[in-house]
Amino acid sequence: MQRHLLLVGGGHAHVEVLRQFAAKPLPGWRLTLLTREAMSPYSGMLPGVIAGLYREEQALIDVRALAARAGAEAVIDRATGIDLVAKRVHRAGGESRPFDLLSLDTGATPDTARVPGAAQHALPLKPIDALLPRLRATLDAAPARIGVVGAGAAGVEVALALRARLPASSVTLVAGVAGVLAGFPDKARARVAAALAARHVEIHQGEDVAEVVAEGLVFPRGAPLALDAVLWATGAAAPAWLAETGLERDRAGFLRIDERLRCIGRTDIFAAGDCTSFDPQPLPKAGVYAVRQGPVLAGNLRAAAEGRALRPYRPQEDWLVLLSLGDRRAIGTRNGIVMGGRAAWWLKDWIDRRFMARYQGP
Ligand SMILES: Cc1cc2nc3c(=O)[nH]c(=O)nc-3n(C[C@H](O)[C@H](O)[C@H](O)COP(=O)(O)OP(=O)(O)OC[C@H]3O[C@@H](n4cnc5c(N)ncnc54)[C@H](O)[C@@H]3O)c2cc1C
């Protein structure tokens, strides 16, 4: 009898799983991808899309086509729950799907719940697939005053991309108490601060946003900041539907996984990427981890299907961070070394295009 391997979410780890199953099928198993959108955005190129350096389709992976190459059925729908006893995944628009083996790579959601008004008045960067159509409208309207709340890597890149795309608009990066690029090496922070100043991106810091209103941002003590558009680039939150699954979660609601990428207490359910919390050590919510988990996940799903031993995922200790400055320049940092300029952009562009080519081609 055929057994079912069900992949939920077309995230960065699952595209690699599909690629590997396309190269080497899994006999005796029926493969299904259940994902919200047929086109999965690659976040590394999103700032380049905003800046106008890439067309939108260059930053999108056609997961339906990728699934077809892997011999998988693609179901374009939203998972809403899991029945752990019947071993079925519920979805919004149709009949639930069975699984013998299940893997979840559904990403995170924006952290808008903590600040009143953010969900109503701000445009969250995550999920990116929901962002793109709304972003198009914002860029076309070319608002005079734009604010980007959250000054981690994504917020910095998006602020600089907006600056490049909308030269007549004022762009303010709202960095809060943490400041710009908290946790990055001082040398990289100084270099990025200089790049922001040179491009006339205003910085607002020292206070976190208390409320988002139709007219802009309100702070606990300081003067409000009048804005015509607000982008929300603060940390990631766990998708609400995971709470209903009965799977083990951490305090923030992310799925707890072991070093072999299995959900805690399960041998038949795996998970990867931003929707997870890696039990052996805390990991940042960053695409590089989902990408590196991809090959281990693919191997472990195959091993689990064939009853073989699984291998552990060992997170990289440091990685090259390349921040796009929006104008074909970038700043890169790894192991405390900082590089910048056109060469850094060239490297970023080359890495991103190479990544996309793995999943876009026949
Ligand atoms: C502007 C920006 C720039 C960034 N740049 C970088 C960078 O340069 N480097 C880096 O490491 N990280 C970067 N990140 C972070 C990165 O985007 C995430 O860490 C990464 O996307 C996580 O990958 P994932 O596979 O967990 O999930 P995602 O890439 O979020 O994919 C989730 C998938 O699941 C699908 N899905 C979601 N919910 C459901 C559901 N209920 N049912 C079915 N399908 C569902 C979605 O449609 C999507 O296909 C950036 C983020 C942003 C916003």
Side-chain angles (χ1 to χ4, degrees):
M1 202 182 65
Q2 247 195 354
R3 285 176 295 165
H4 290 88
L5 168 55
L6 178 56
L7 307 178
V8 178
H12 293 53
H14 275 174
V15 292
E16 177 62 17
V17 171
L18 288 168
R19 194 186 72 84
Q20 293 208 11
F21 282 115
K24 190 176 170 201
L26 187 60
W29 284 76
R30 199 172 140 186
L31 190 54
T32 303
L33 171 71
L34 168 62
T35 191
R36 212 171 40 195
E37 272 83 24
M39 306 296 283
S40 264
Y42 171 50
S43 55
M45 287 169 92
L46 180 73
V49 172
I50 297 175
L53 301 174
Y54 301 116
R55 295 185 312 280
E56 244 178 56
E57 61 271 22
Q58 286 180 283
L60 294 171
I61 299 170
D62 184 344
V63 281
R64 201 201 297 260
L66 190 56
R69 292 199 286 281
E73 180 192 1
V75 178
I76 307 303
D77 199 359
R78 187 167 52 87
T80 54
I82 304 174
D83 184 332
L84 295 176
V85 179
K87 297 189 63 141
R88 296 188 78 91
V89 171
H90 299 296
R91 61 189 177 106
E95 213 189 317
S96 63
R97 288 294 176 136
F99 67 85
D100 295 285
L101 268 181
L102 172 64
S103 179
L104 304 165
D105 177 20
T106 56
T109 59
D111 193 9
T112 47
R114 281 187 303 121
V115 178
Q120 292 85 345
H121 300 293
L123 175 54
L125 291 190
K126 298 235 73 178
I128 296 173
D129 39 24
L131 163 74
L132 287 174
R134 290 180 67 189
L135 186 64
R136 245 177 268 139
T138 304
L139 293 174
D140 289 347
R145 298 161 303 181
I146 309 178
V148 178
V149 180
V156 166
E157 282 194 297
V158 166
L160 286 160
L162 288 165
R163 154 57 57 246
R165 180 70 173 266
L166 302 172
S169 307
S170 81
V171 178
T172 305
L173 183 60
V174 181
V177 174
V180 178
L181 291 183
F184 275 65
D186 287 346
K187 263 196 282 181
R189 293 181 81 178
R191 193 99 178 225
V192 168
L196 289 162
R199 288 160 183 79
H200 307 290
V201 173
E202 310 286 329
I203 309 290
H204 186 293
Q205 57 189 346
E207 272 195 296
D208 287 340
V209 175
E211 189 178 354
V212 187
V213 292
E215 297 78 26
L217 304 175
V218 178
F219 296 92
R221 289 176 301 281
L225 183 63
L227 294 168
D228 304 301
V230 176
L231 273 80
W232 201 255
T234 64
W241 76 278
L242 297 180
E244 312 299 322
T245 60
L247 292 168
E248 290 275 344
R249 296 178 307 133
D250 71 3
R251 284 167 60 184
F254 294 98
L255 295 175
R256 288 177 54 206
I257 54 170
D258 66 17
E259 65 170 357
R260 288 171 172 74
L261 307 179
R262 286 174 304 200
C263 287
I264 298 298
R266 304 290 308 197
T267 53
D268 56 347
I269 305 182
F270 291 70
D274 278 7
C275 66
T276 65
S277 166
F278 187 61
D279 250 27
Q281 70 187 77
L283 297 178
K285 305 281 181 240
V288 288
Y289 291 103
V291 167
R292 297 280 183 91
Q293 286 170 346
V296 180
L297 180 64
N300 283 352
L301 287 171
R302 186 182 295 277
E306 294 171 346
R308 289 182 290 106
L310 311 183
R311 79 180 161 102
Y313 159 71
R314 304 255 185 254
Q316 63 271 41
E317 281 177 9
D318 195 12
W319 74 93
L320 175 64
V321 178
L322 284 160
L323 297 171
S324 160
L325 303 183
D327 53 3
R328 295 187 199 281
R329 288 182 176 79
I331 291 174
T333 168
R334 180 167 195 169
N335 288 327
I337 296 166
V338 180
M339 63 191 269
R342 289 192 185 277
W345 162 260
W346 182 88
L347 181 61
K348 175 168 173 51
D349 179 56
W350 180 77
I351 291 171
D352 287 342
R353 285 178 192 266
R354 191 183 57 161
F355 175 83
M356 290 302 285
R358 285 165 77 85
Y359 305 110
Q360 283 172 326

